[in-house]
């Protein structure tokens, strides 16, 4: 039986990516939710060498980092990467881009699933990040989307990596037009994404370091 260590579902965007990767692989797993606190907890070293979540324990291996978890599972189970090589190459590019970039989006639109706020005007860097994401979504849908509702048709790790972005767009009222907008709704409606959202909405912990109403207080007040 696999065990996946994750953080609070309302806040932990990386945990959501890892959790979706395990769901896509379709293996039974036990979830261990370790509450985030806004500062690193040395005790986490016991289950995650990086002291971060997600971390997957499987078959005697410990795999930390969401992308490593996706690759580890893809080597063992179908359903993680797209089957078509061209779609798979593209999916790897956009997953890598998401994994290593979009700093403005991460810092200026923290994931907080339960929240609805407006942080306009966006900085030029945030505007560029949002624009690039919409471009990626439109490209995936037009090139590979024929056989399903997701970026490469069937749901894959590419969608898992953009699921936290979908929640951010919902929270901050980002409404892409045309194909990207339709894709956003499809992703938010996927049963795995809905399952995570339902659990996130039951959480009551408030972490000021991750709370939009604390982080972006002035902007939100200006828009009220
Ligand atoms: N690149 C890592 C990032 C993992 C990460 O930063 N996780 C955050 C939670 S979303 C974390 O564990 N933070 C530790 C803490 O806040 O105590 C991944 O892809 O898994």
């Amino acid at each position: 039986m696999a065990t996946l260590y994750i953080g609070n579902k309302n806040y932990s965007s990386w945990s959501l990516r890892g959790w979706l990767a395990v769901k896509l692989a379709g293996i039974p797993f036990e979830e261990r939710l370790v509450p985030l606190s806004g500062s690193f907890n040395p005790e986490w070293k016991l289950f995650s060498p990086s002291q971060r979540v997600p971390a997957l324990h499987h078959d005697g291996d410990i795999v930390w980092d969401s992308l490593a978890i996706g690759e580890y599972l893809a080597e063992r189970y179908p359903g993680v990467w797209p089957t078509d090589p061209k779609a798979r190459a593209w999916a790897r590019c956009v997953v890598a881009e998401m994994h290593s970039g979009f700093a403005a989006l991460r810092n200026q639109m923290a994931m907080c699933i339960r929240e609805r706020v407006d942080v306009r005007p966006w900085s030029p860097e945030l505007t560029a990040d949002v624009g690039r994401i919409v471009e990626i979504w439109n490209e995936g849908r037009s090139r590979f989307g024929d056989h399903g509702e997701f970026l490469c048709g069937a749901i894959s790790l590419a969608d898992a990596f953009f699921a936290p972005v979908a929640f951010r767009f919902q929270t901050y009222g980002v409404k892409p037009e045309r194909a990207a907008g339709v894709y956003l709704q499809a992703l938010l409606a996927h049963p795995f994404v809905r399952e995570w959202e339902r659990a996130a909405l039951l959480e009551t912990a408030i972490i000021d370091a991750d709370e939009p109403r604390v982080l972006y207080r002035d902007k939100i007040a200006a828009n009220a």
Side-chain angles (χ1 to χ4, degrees), residues 2-220:
T3 302
L4 186 72
Y5 289 82
I6 55 172
N8 306 50
K9 289 187 171 175
N10 181 62
Y11 297 114
S12 187
S13 56
W14 294 111
S15 298
L16 169 56
R17 295 180 173 105
W19 184 88
L20 283 171
V22 184
K23 296 290 271 187
L24 291 178
I27 59 169
F29 69 108
E30 183 196 333
E31 260 175 53
R32 291 219 185 129
L33 199 147
V34 286
L36 300 171
S37 63
S39 60
F40 287 94
N41 183 343
E43 286 175 19
W44 285 22
K45 202 79 179 160
L46 295 172
F47 57 81
S48 174
S50 64
Q51 289 178 233
R52 289 168 193 252
V53 285
L56 176 69
H57 292 214
H58 180 256
D59 237 355
D61 286 318
I62 299 181
V63 189
W64 66 97
D65 187 284
S66 53
L67 182 51
I69 291 169
E71 290 290 10
Y72 174 90
L73 293 167
E75 282 182 357
R76 288 160 180 77
Y77 307 99
V80 179
W81 287 121
T83 48
D84 170 64
K86 278 192 188 298
R88 192 161 63 246
W90 183 86
R92 283 201 156 104
C93 292
V94 297
V95 164
E97 190 175 340
M98 184 74 243
H99 194 252
S100 60
F102 296 105
L105 182 92
R106 289 184 209 295
N107 294 328
Q108 297 167 38
M109 284 186 175
M111 189 173 98
C112 181
I113 290 176
R114 69 169 82 93
E115 191 55 276
R116 299 291 180 273
V117 287
D118 186 357
V119 294
R120 290 177 180 82
W122 301 338
S123 68
E125 295 78 13
L126 178 58
T127 304
D129 277 1
V130 169
R132 174 63 187 143
I133 284 163
V134 171
E135 182 177 67
I136 289 171
W137 288 1
N138 280 326
E139 185 187 353
R141 291 299 304 144
S142 75
R143 284 182 64 189
F144 308 111
D146 275 355
H147 303 293
E149 299 178 278
F150 298 99
L151 286 179
C152 296
I155 192 160
S156 74
L157 198 62
D159 307 291
F161 269 67
F162 286 101
V165 176
F167 281 130
R168 287 176 158 109
F169 280 16
Q170 178 171 259
T171 290
Y172 297 93
V174 185
K175 295 187 169 66
E177 292 176 349
R178 295 183 284 277
V182 176
Y183 166 68
L184 170 61
Q185 294 311 319
L187 187 51
L188 288 170
H190 188 280
F192 295 161
V193 176
R194 296 285 301 276
E195 182 182 337
W196 179 279
E197 182 180 34
R198 271 196 306 277
L201 293 177
L202 293 175
E203 292 179 351
T204 53
I206 302 286
I207 301 166
D208 279 356
D210 293 315
E211 267 298 315
R213 286 185 189 274
V214 175
L215 292 169
Y216 317 126
R217 181 182 287 129
D218 295 345
K219 274 188 154 186
I220 292 167

